[in-house]
Amino acid sequence: MRYVTLLRTRLAISPITRSLHHGYSRRLTVLALESSADDTCAAVVTSDRKILSNVVINQQAFLEEYGGIHPFVALHAHQRNMPGAVQRALREANITIGEVDGIAFTRGPGIPGCLSVCGNAARTLAAAVNKPLVGVHHMQAHALTPFLTSPADALPTFPFLTLLVSGGHTLLLLATSPTAFRILATSLDESIGNAFDKVAKLLQIPYSGRAPGAALERFCTSGPAVGDEDIPEIHMPRPMRGRLAFSYTGLHSTVERFLDARRGEIDERTKLGVARSFQKAAVGQLEDKLVLGMRECAQKGIRVRHLVVSGGVASNSFLRERLRACLDTESPDERVELVFPPPHLCTDNAAMIGWAAMDRFLAGDTDPYSIESRPKWSLEELEGQGELRQGA
């Protein structure tokens, strides 16, 4: 069966080898743009895994003012920031737009208005300088980032599991090729990143220039050590027990009810206890579903050797520690490697967009300038789009 064949595929040919195979006598250089949520990003990457520039302009001041992403405000910030981001990316890469071989952009999923900024900029630039264009699935780019950042002798091998955890998504995937993903579990309500942001706002944790979720993580590391009797532990629900599905609305609602019952008046030790209890439960749910996913793969004879974790929440150090312990407990006899991109490439960035587009540029499988954004776009729809670019 084709599905079984895909399970056995490996990324056996390097990008530079593929470039020679397709008639390129030099490395390809791609300008990539990203604006799917609250970061305005531009980057230049090459087919031999070099990041020549990676510009990220965040909107932290607006996030703190509005308590999260405000779509209209984010749209206008992207419109202001994108020209400068592109100019800076080219300058830092020491190239001109004429020296770029192709232009990539985030096609979806994401906030519609925000997506339109990188989409319009990429289409216009590509048409103006007569360069090929590729629209990229944002979550595919997150999943493939380790193929850009990991040492050449430590790349993930297909099939592997992927946890994509961000402000917009909570997904557990089985990746069987660069464009074949099976969704094992997704959130039935809000994402883990959104829940982190909401709890940070409820607890009135200062952002201090960080994203709300990152501010909450930092707050959890403050004060007395975990286990101190003076720090209360708040009971948190563990939804969807035994089911391959995520649910985070109940966790942040529990925090909201706890605060409402006290009219928001809690001391710093209680606030720390609430924050730590929430973080423990949020990450614990990832552990629970990961175990279920690993067991389902094992029952079907699918041998998984890597877990790739990406998305903004993947930079959380507590999450990293817990997932490592979870894998060791579930697979004590055969180590499952835990793969994280560098923290600055876990959050939204354009370097991952350029890399995810590289195989398509090399294969000559590009998009028309009329291509439209897709705010809602399932990863499973990518399967079968172009056999040549699979690298099998």
Side-chain angles (χ1 to χ4, degrees):
M1 294 175 63
R2 183 171 180 274
Y3 181 71
V4 175
T5 301
L6 284 171
L7 291 179
R8 297 172 180 166
T9 61
R10 300 284 179 90
L11 198 64
I13 305 175
S14 70
I16 193 64
T17 302
R18 282 200 298 272
S19 70
L20 294 173
H21 176 71
H22 290 295
Y24 293 97
S25 59
R26 59 180 177 82
R27 69 180 184 181
L28 247 64
T29 301
V30 171
L31 169 67
L33 311 181
E34 145 67 18
S35 63
S36 62
D38 60 331
D39 291 327
T40 309
C41 311
V44 178
V45 298
T46 68
S47 56
D48 54 349
R49 305 204 315 153
K50 297 291 193 303
I51 301 175
L52 302 185
S53 63
N54 186 40
V55 176
V56 178
I57 303 174
N58 64 49
Q59 300 179 15
Q60 298 307 329
F62 298 126
L63 291 176
E64 190 156 10
E65 180 180 354
Y66 291 98
I69 298 176
H70 187 296
F72 184 77
V73 173
L75 165 63
H76 283 273
H78 286 311
Q79 290 174 334
R80 288 193 304 271
N81 293 333
M82 185 59 75
V86 171
Q87 185 179 53
R88 182 177 154 195
L90 292 171
R91 183 176 64 247
E92 292 181 3
N94 196 28
I95 63 171
T96 66
I97 188 66
E99 295 173 291
V100 168
D101 296 301
I103 298 175
F105 72 100
T106 301
R107 187 183 179 196
I111 300 171
C114 296
L115 285 171
S116 71
V117 177
C118 66
N120 289 338
R123 286 188 290 265
T124 301
L125 282 171
V129 295
N130 195 31
K131 300 293 183 180
L133 179 73
V134 168
V136 173
H137 194 294
H138 183 85
M139 304 313 291
Q140 177 199 25
H142 273 303
L144 298 182
T145 300
F147 291 98
L148 172 64
T149 61
S150 298
D153 59 354
L155 297 176
T157 54
F158 295 101
F160 59 81
L161 288 175
T162 302
L163 263 175
L164 300 181
V165 283
S166 69
H169 301 273
T170 310
L171 291 167
L172 176 61
L173 307 167
L174 176 65
T176 56
S177 86
T179 58
F181 299 88
R182 179 188 162 203
I183 298 174
L184 300 180
T186 188
S187 178
L188 300 183
D189 37 59
E190 67 182 297
S191 69
I192 183 174
N194 192 46
F196 263 91
D197 291 350
K198 287 184 177 180
V199 170
K201 181 182 178 182
L202 287 170
L203 293 176
Q204 299 180 344
I205 295 172
Y207 296 173
S208 302
R210 297 175 174 82
L216 188 146
E217 178 199 357
R218 186 173 184 272
F219 180 71
C220 287
T221 64
S222 65
V226 174
D228 189 297
E229 293 182 358
D230 290 335
I231 305 299
E233 183 167 351
I234 311 302
H235 175 73
M236 290 282 173
R238 299 193 72 165
M240 305 294 169
R241 285 178 180 265
R243 288 183 57 189
L244 269 170
F246 298 102
S247 174
Y248 282 96
T249 295
L251 296 186
H252 100 251
S253 295
T254 298
V255 173
E256 191 169 28
R257 289 193 299 270
F258 180 88
L259 295 175
D260 285 345
R262 292 155 183 79
R263 298 182 180 180
E265 297 178 2
I266 58 174
D267 58 28
E268 283 299 303
R269 287 181 175 271
T270 302
K271 181 188 290 189
L272 182 59
V274 173
R276 287 178 176 176
S277 297
F278 165 78
Q279 180 173 250
K280 180 180 177 181
V283 173
Q285 191 176 158
L286 296 181
E287 297 177 65
D288 292 345
K289 308 313 177 184
L290 174 58
V291 168
L292 291 176
M294 292 176 67
R295 291 176 181 176
E296 179 172 304
C297 289
Q299 290 171 359
K300 296 182 177 180
I302 301 171
R303 188 180 182 186
V304 172
R305 296 181 178 179
H306 294 84
L307 170 65
V308 171
V309 188
S310 194
V313 185
S315 60
N316 184 297
S317 58
F318 179 76
L319 174 147
R320 293 178 175 226
E321 294 171 3
R322 292 306 310 156
L323 290 182
R324 180 68 268 166
C326 177
L327 291 174
D328 291 342
T329 300
E330 181 62 19
S331 183
D333 299 325
E334 185 173 7
R335 181 178 174 87
V336 177
E337 296 297 331
L338 184 56
V339 183
F340 290 95
H344 71 284
L345 293 177
C346 284
T347 54
D348 289 351
N349 65 89
M352 69 177 188
I353 301 300
W355 180 250
M358 196 64 69
D359 276 355
R360 292 190 57 194
F361 282 118
L362 294 172
D365 177 21
T366 57
D367 293 316
Y369 296 150
S370 59
I371 185 174
E372 297 181 352
S373 298
R374 294 190 62 179
K376 294 185 178 181
W377 188 9
S378 172
L379 257 177
E380 291 184 339
E381 295 179 37
L382 291 177
E383 186 171 4
Q385 293 184 10
E387 294 299 323
L388 186 58
R389 64 176 184 264
Q390 302 304 312

